[in-house]
Amino acid sequence: MVEELLTAVIAAGVGAGVYVATAARVVKQYERGLVFRFGRLRDEIRGPGFTVIVPGMDRLRKVNMQIVTLPVPAQEGITRDNVTVRVDAVVYFKVVDPANAIVAVEDYRFAVSQMAQTSLRSIIGKSDLDDLLSNREMLNQGLELMIDSPAVGWGVQIDRVEIKDVSLPETMKRSMARQAEADRERRARVINADAELQASHKLAEAAAVMSDQPAALQLRLLQTVVAVAAEKNSTLVLPFPVELLRFLERAAPPPASDAAPSSARAADPAPEQAALGTDQPEPPAVGPAPDGSELPDALPPGLTLDGTPPPPTRDSPRD
């Protein structure tokens, strides 16, 4: 009798151990457990830790509550300005309602992936190429709204959507490079023209100052000479400025008057005669006549005071 009782206790213990081992479940911290009893979802959602189900009657389904990173395959489409591009993206989402994620949709990962691809193609067709390249923040927000709207009923929350890369044809890349180069050249020319305009204004002001002060022009010339002389690999030719000649002319003493030279020439005619190289006799002085009458200031040519012709000279030809 005792042996039979001991055997029954051992059998009950073994059965209890088997039952506990079959019914025991462990739910991790980042998971939630859904219990289906005869195919019907129980209202209670099992939290993380140790839990027990009824073997043969219940089935536990674990749902991951972590943020899922889902890459979206590259989608090829035509933009609104008729440019063919390939765009790929990535979607970050998480499950907020485990019951709907399991019951409302067959596979929420596949559903989110297909919705992301469809929304990405739709965004490509509605956007311009410039928006895809430079205005990605707005496109990311629009893409997130398009995916999040149906995902709410699936118990899934879209956390973030990012466009990773935009692939362009080689011809379009070359065209964009030429456009960027032309724009850079235009900006460089505008900046250069603006610099020339400002330099012309400054040069006009400097010319006005130098016209009022001629010495400033001389100082500027000397500064230029010093700057050029710093390079010892060239020969410097310095022109003599006309302004310096004018300055020396103003600094020279004034010349003597014209009356003094004329009087000196009248007082000393000998040098002039010597320069001529002739031995002409001095004309006789004209005085009063013997009868006391006044003689004219000039005698007729070929006559002397007594009315006789003058003797022949060496230069005159003989008769």
Side-chain angles (χ1 to χ4, degrees):
M1 185 68 182
V2 176
E3 294 179 359
E4 294 179 358
L5 182 60
L6 183 59
T7 303
V9 171
I10 294 174
V14 172
V18 172
Y19 178 82
V20 171
T22 307
R25 296 289 186 276
V26 175
V27 180
K28 298 179 181 179
Q29 181 65 36
Y30 54 86
E31 295 176 340
R32 297 295 181 268
L34 299 178
V35 178
F36 291 88
R37 178 166 295 176
F38 296 111
R40 184 180 182 87
L41 178 65
R42 303 282 295 179
D43 295 336
E44 181 184 0
I45 297 177
R46 306 296 175 90
F50 180 79
T51 184
V52 179
I53 61 174
V54 179
M57 298 175 56
D58 296 344
R59 186 172 63 87
L60 183 66
R61 178 75 178 271
K62 299 178 182 179
V63 181
N64 193 337
M65 304 296 290
Q66 291 177 318
I67 295 178
V68 180
T69 302
L70 181 64
V72 180
Q75 302 297 313
E76 185 173 355
I78 300 177
T79 61
R80 192 166 56 181
D81 50 354
N82 299 325
V83 179
T84 303
V85 295
R86 291 178 59 88
V87 182
D88 57 351
V90 59
V91 181
Y92 301 91
F93 69 93
K94 63 181 179 180
V95 177
V96 294
D97 189 353
N100 287 335
I102 299 300
V103 176
V105 63
E106 179 181 2
D107 187 353
Y108 64 90
R109 289 174 178 266
F110 182 75
V112 172
S113 175
Q114 294 300 315
M115 179 57 64
Q117 297 178 31
T118 305
S119 301
L120 184 58
R121 285 194 296 268
S122 178
I123 284 292
I124 293 174
K126 294 179 181 179
S127 304
D128 294 333
L129 180 61
D130 294 338
D131 295 335
L132 288 175
L133 296 177
S134 61
N135 197 10
R136 293 189 181 182
E137 292 295 332
M138 185 181 67
L139 296 180
N140 292 337
Q141 294 177 2
L143 189 59
E144 180 180 350
L145 291 176
M146 293 179 66
I147 301 175
D148 190 59
S149 297
V152 172
W154 303 338
V156 177
Q157 179 183 353
I158 304 300
D159 188 68
R160 191 177 183 87
V161 180
E162 292 287 343
I163 296 177
K164 293 196 301 184
D165 188 22
V166 178
S167 300
L168 299 175
E170 293 297 329
T171 56
M172 181 58 63
K173 291 181 180 180
R174 289 194 294 268
S175 300
M176 293 176 64
R178 289 195 300 268
Q179 178 184 0
E181 184 179 358
D183 184 67
R184 291 286 182 178
E185 185 176 358
R186 177 186 63 83
R187 291 168 58 185
R189 290 184 178 180
V190 170
I191 294 174
N192 191 15
D194 189 20
E196 292 291 339
L197 178 61
Q198 295 180 8
S200 63
H201 290 326
K202 295 299 181 182
L203 289 175
E205 295 178 2
V209 173
M210 290 182 180
S211 63
D212 295 338
Q213 299 291 335
L217 183 60
Q218 300 298 326
L219 294 177
R220 183 57 186 160
L221 177 61
L222 295 177
Q223 291 177 357
T224 305
V225 171
V226 171
V228 175
E231 299 292 335
K232 298 182 180 180
N233 56 355
S234 60
T235 302
L236 179 62
V237 178
L238 179 63
F240 202 76
V242 179
E243 289 78 4
L244 183 58
L245 294 177
R246 293 177 181 175
F247 176 75
L248 296 177
E249 182 180 354
R250 289 194 299 268
S257 60
D258 296 339
S262 61
S263 60
R265 288 195 301 270
D268 191 8
E272 296 181 359
Q273 295 179 0
L276 293 175
T278 59
D279 298 334
Q280 297 181 0
E282 295 182 0
V286 179
D291 55 357
S293 61
E294 294 292 336
L295 296 177
D297 296 337
L299 294 177
L303 295 179
T304 58
L305 293 177
D306 53 359
T308 62
T313 60
R314 292 179 301 176
D315 297 335
S316 63
R318 295 183 180 180
D319 297 337

